[in-house]
């Protein structure tokens, strides 16, 4: 495949340098098949995360601040990690789905580098930015290595008695899914539990809802992220950037036989200034679609500096989505530049075989954005170049 460059900026070179030596072509390993489950022991569990965060706070000598921002439904802590003291706010979240784990490792690697380095480039980043990370948002789902959290509808009703006669939400899992047992341990897809109205209180008429409709903030996990977001807005006036780290299936780069390593996107809801987005018109003044596209381009460009390798097999995620119930959709309507990372394959499909490659892909894209926001070079990109990023295809050579 001939690689496409869309104006690579100097900030991408800085990002690559901060991440260490350039990584060449990585072995892709066997193509995954349905039902394949490989070891995930190389990824972090909750106890290991807590130990690493505590150690990072100590060795950084105060540069990295670790706080408990909330509790999951099963009583585990959701951690908020802050580094930097600048006016530009970058909020990054990983593991809203508990079987999507590479982002957590990538975030910890970046936080460690920023917390320990004394380089002029890192100093400038920390002077310009306040970086806030939620490295393991859906901790209960992560411990079960599954997409959803662990929570029953009766527990929701117990917290919101006004819903006693409402139907359970459409994203409430009670039957086996992808080999996971939701029958004995029901749960919710937390990534549909957000609402553009950050002060929304659940109302029975809004249930069971649908994928294309706003969520409800009924899970403690989504409530915690909302509260972090609102707290940052209150302190800084806005959250400049929100990035959500996910996994997906196994698409191809459109028109090629190349498997996608990661898909990216800056679009999650329809533009409020267009007829298709008219239902969001109250958010039109805050919507920053051009900035979201520039941020996405910055990540893409950073990965293209890797040369002719799988690290440059980056595609544009589905652009037809309209999902105000996601964190990305809700926060985009509240004025943040938003970016989605979708690493190909769930962690149980690739296991330890591709951990290093996939983590490095996420790190490189994130550092591209961090560098571009630090020096302002992100704003020099032409937002319409976003449409030149290769699209995804479900079949090879199409």
């Amino acid at each position: 495949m001939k690689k496409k460059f869309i104006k690579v900026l100097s900030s991408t070179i800085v990002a690559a340098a901060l991440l260490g030596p350039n990584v060449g072509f990585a072995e892709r390993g066997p193509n995954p098949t349905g039902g394949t489950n490989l070891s995930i022991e190389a990824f972090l569990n909750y106890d290991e995360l807590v130990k690493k965060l505590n150690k990072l706070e100590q060795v950084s000598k105060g540069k990295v601040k670790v706080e408990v921002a909330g509790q999951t439904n099963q009583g585990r802590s959701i951690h908020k990690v802050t580094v930097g003291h600048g006016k530009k706010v970058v909020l990054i979240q990983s593991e809203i789905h508990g079987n999507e784990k590479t982002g957590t490792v990538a975030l910890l690697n970046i936080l460690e580098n920023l917390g320990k380095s004394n380089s002029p480039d890192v100093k400038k980043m920390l002077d310009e930015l306040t970086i806030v990370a939620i490295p393991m948002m859906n901790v209960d789902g992560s411990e079960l290595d599954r997409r959803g959290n662990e929570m029953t509808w009766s527990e929701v009703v117990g917290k919101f008695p006004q819903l006693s006669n409402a139907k359970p939400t459409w994203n409430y899992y009670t039957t086996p899914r992808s080999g996971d047992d939701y029958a004995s341990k029901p749960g919710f897809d937390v990534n549909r539990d957000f609402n553009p109205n950050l002060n929304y209180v659940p109302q029975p008429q809004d249930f069971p809802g649908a994928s294309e409709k706003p969520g409800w903030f009924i899970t403690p996990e989504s409530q915690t992220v909302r509260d972090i977001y609102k707290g940052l807005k209150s302190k800084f006036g806005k959250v400049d950037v929100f990035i959500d780290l996910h996994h997906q299936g196994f698409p191809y780069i459109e028109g090629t036989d190349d498997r996608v390593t990661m898909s990216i996107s800056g679009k999650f809801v329809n533009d409020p200034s267009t007829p298709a987005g008219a239902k969001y018109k109250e958010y039109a003044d805050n919507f920053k679609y051009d900035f979201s596209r520039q941020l996405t381009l910055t990540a893409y460009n950073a990965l293209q500096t890797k040369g002719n390798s799988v690290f440059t097999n980056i595609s544009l995620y589905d652009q037809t989505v309209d999902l105000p119930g996601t964190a990305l959709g809700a926060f985009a309507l509240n004025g943040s530049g938003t970016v989605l990372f979708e690493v190909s394959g769930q962690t149980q499909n690739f296991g330890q075989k591709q951990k290093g490659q996939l983590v490095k892909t996420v790190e490189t894209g994130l550092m591209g954005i961090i560098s571009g926001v630090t020096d302002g070079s992100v704003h020099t990109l032409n937002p319409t170049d976003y449409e030149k990023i290769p699209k995804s295809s479900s079949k090879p050579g199409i």
Side-chain angles (χ1 to χ4, degrees), residues 137-302:
M137 185 269 215
N138 180 8
V139 184
D140 295 344
S142 181
E143 287 294 276
L144 294 170
D145 189 33
R146 73 180 195 184
R147 184 178 183 88
N149 74 346
E150 185 179 350
M151 187 176 191
T152 65
W153 179 249
S154 61
E155 287 176 308
V156 172
V157 173
K159 295 177 181 179
F160 301 100
Q162 69 269 31
L163 303 181
S164 59
N165 294 319
K167 293 182 178 180
T169 60
W170 68 272
N171 63 329
Y172 179 49
Y173 300 158
T174 59
T175 57
R177 299 175 65 95
S178 303
D180 294 322
D181 176 21
Y182 288 95
S184 63
K185 294 181 178 181
F188 296 83
D189 182 346
V190 183
N191 194 41
R192 294 297 190 273
D193 192 33
F194 289 77
N195 194 299
N197 177 1
L198 302 180
N199 298 313
Y200 173 84
V201 176
Q203 301 297 321
Q205 63 268 25
D206 296 331
F207 291 77
S211 180
E212 70 276 9
K213 293 183 179 181
W216 319 267
F217 293 124
I218 56 173
T219 63
E221 293 87 359
S222 67
Q223 293 165 14
T224 297
V225 176
R226 175 203 56 192
D227 292 345
I228 290 172
Y229 187 88
K230 287 176 65 176
L232 291 171
K233 282 194 73 173
S234 177
K235 181 177 180 178
F236 294 92
K238 62 179 177 178
V239 176
D240 298 84
V241 179
F242 174 70
I243 306 170
D244 210 355
L245 308 179
H246 286 254
H247 286 230
Q248 61 177 343
F250 307 101
Y252 296 85
I253 300 290
E254 188 177 57
T256 78
D257 295 331
D258 296 331
R259 287 277 192 182
V260 168
T261 302
M262 185 170 74
S263 296
I264 52 180
S265 183
K267 180 188 180 297
F268 317 101
V269 290
N270 291 323
D271 189 332
S273 65
T274 65
K279 59 185 174 182
Y280 308 126
K281 62 181 180 181
E282 64 184 291
Y283 301 100
D285 290 344
N286 291 327
F287 196 64
K288 295 180 174 61
Y289 181 46
D290 279 354
F291 184 42
S292 293
R293 290 192 290 178
Q294 290 170 320
L295 290 166
T296 307
L297 279 167
T298 303
Y300 179 77
N301 286 343

Side-chain angles (χ1 to χ4, degrees), residues 332-349:
L333 290 170
N334 276 276
S336 297
T338 47
V339 184
L340 168 70
F341 282 26
E342 288 270 3
V343 169
S344 289
Q346 305 300 301
T347 46
Q348 69 267 27
N349 296 122

Side-chain angles (χ1 to χ4, degrees), residues 82-107:
T82 305
V83 62
H85 44 268
K87 295 181 179 180
K88 304 172 189 175
V89 180
V90 177
L91 175 60
I92 310 171
Q93 171 180 272
S94 182
E95 281 200 75
I96 194 170
H97 294 138
N99 57 348
E100 300 178 354
K101 301 177 180 294
T102 56
T104 298
V105 181
L107 267 179

